[in-house]
Amino acid sequence: MRIGILALQGAVQDHGRPLARLGAESVEVRRPADLLGLDGLILPGGESTVMGRFLEDYGLVEPIRAFAASGKALWGLCAGAILLCEEVDGQEGILRLLPLKATRNAYGRQLASFEEELDTVIGSFPGVFIRAPRLEARGDDKARGDRAANPMLEILGTRRPPCPEPVLFRFASILAASFHPELTEDLGLHALFLQIIGERLSH
Ligand code: GLN
């Protein structure tokens, strides 16, 4: 598999190694033509305002939306997840591919960066949060994460009680995480991303 890593800004380098360990090739994406022949695209962590501006300057917004519309997989991490959201801090998001709203830097000064175990679809996972956003389903807040109200948005990971808020979402072939699996030794979520791509390729 060939996975693109959006390489405009941010934590670009850290995804190559987990992907290689799982047998996937990674290529850096800077311009629309780089999307050709890719099976999936990772939008890494970094600074979402800077990355968003570069996406527009490099003419990547519509090509990435078309890439997603063709059913290809995307995975946004932290700032990359913010880029995918429909709504960011009350404003319209950049790519608007996920029915989520992001609150940037939601954890304040004390908790700006923290590590804690998460409960995910693949079991316990080390969550590394760096000036992370809070990601929430849009719409009726009471129905947040309710499959019946929002059948296609799945919550694949949460923090543990007393704050079991969602931190990992899947929407069709798009994943969004508010944390940084590439900074851990656990390959499980990169493997999950490749599995989502594999499901599609085998159809
Ligand atoms: N705070 C950053 C933003 O709002 C995200 C930080 C990260 O990607 N680790 O864009």
Side-chain angles (χ1 to χ4, degrees):
M1 282 184 201
R2 264 169 83 84
I3 310 299
I5 304 173
L6 185 68
L8 302 177
Q9 189 267 338
V12 177
Q13 311 298 336
D14 298 318
H15 292 282
R17 197 171 62 105
L19 290 173
R21 285 170 66 190
L22 293 164
E25 187 189 344
S26 54
V27 293
E28 296 193 354
V29 169
R30 290 193 184 79
R31 59 201 70 235
D34 297 337
L35 294 168
L36 293 173
L38 297 181
D39 299 305
L41 178 66
I42 287 179
L43 299 101
E47 193 55 46
S48 57
T49 44
V50 178
M51 250 191 278
R53 200 172 320 127
F54 284 155
L55 278 181
E56 281 166 355
D57 291 352
Y58 287 68
L60 276 160
V61 172
E62 286 312 318
I64 292 176
R65 287 173 54 80
F67 185 82
S70 75
K72 301 256 173 118
L74 279 87
W75 185 11
L77 299 108
C78 205
I82 294 171
L83 296 175
L84 292 170
C85 290
E86 282 178 1
E87 184 183 327
V88 178
D89 290 342
Q91 312 271 339
E92 188 168 78
I94 301 275
L95 292 168
R96 301 181 304 281
L97 290 167
L98 290 178
L100 294 177
K101 57 180 180 184
T103 307
R104 297 180 59 219
N105 304 315
Y107 295 98
R109 283 177 161 228
Q110 297 296 324
L111 276 181
S113 298
F114 58 100
E115 285 190 45
E116 63 182 34
E117 286 297 311
L118 304 172
D119 291 323
T120 78
V121 69
I122 58 160
S124 167
F125 193 91
V128 177
F129 292 83
I130 304 171
R131 300 199 304 115
R134 178 170 289 122
L135 303 177
E136 295 166 281
R138 283 187 90 197
D140 180 2
D141 275 4
K142 281 192 297 241
R144 193 186 290 170
D146 179 343
R147 280 170 186 253
N150 210 341
M152 289 163 66
L153 182 69
E154 291 179 78
I155 292 170
L156 301 190
T158 63
R159 298 178 70 201
R160 288 184 174 166
C163 322
E165 58 187 355
V167 291
L168 178 65
F169 293 86
R170 177 175 176 178
F171 185 65
S173 355
I174 305 181
L175 278 180
S178 54
F179 54 99
H180 287 272
E182 78 282 10
L183 298 181
T184 74
E185 288 300 313
D186 196 322
L187 299 176
L189 292 179
H190 284 80
L192 177 70
F193 182 57
L194 297 183
Q195 187 189 317
I196 289 171
I197 296 171
E199 281 167 17
R200 182 180 172 271
L201 292 178
S202 66
H203 283 159

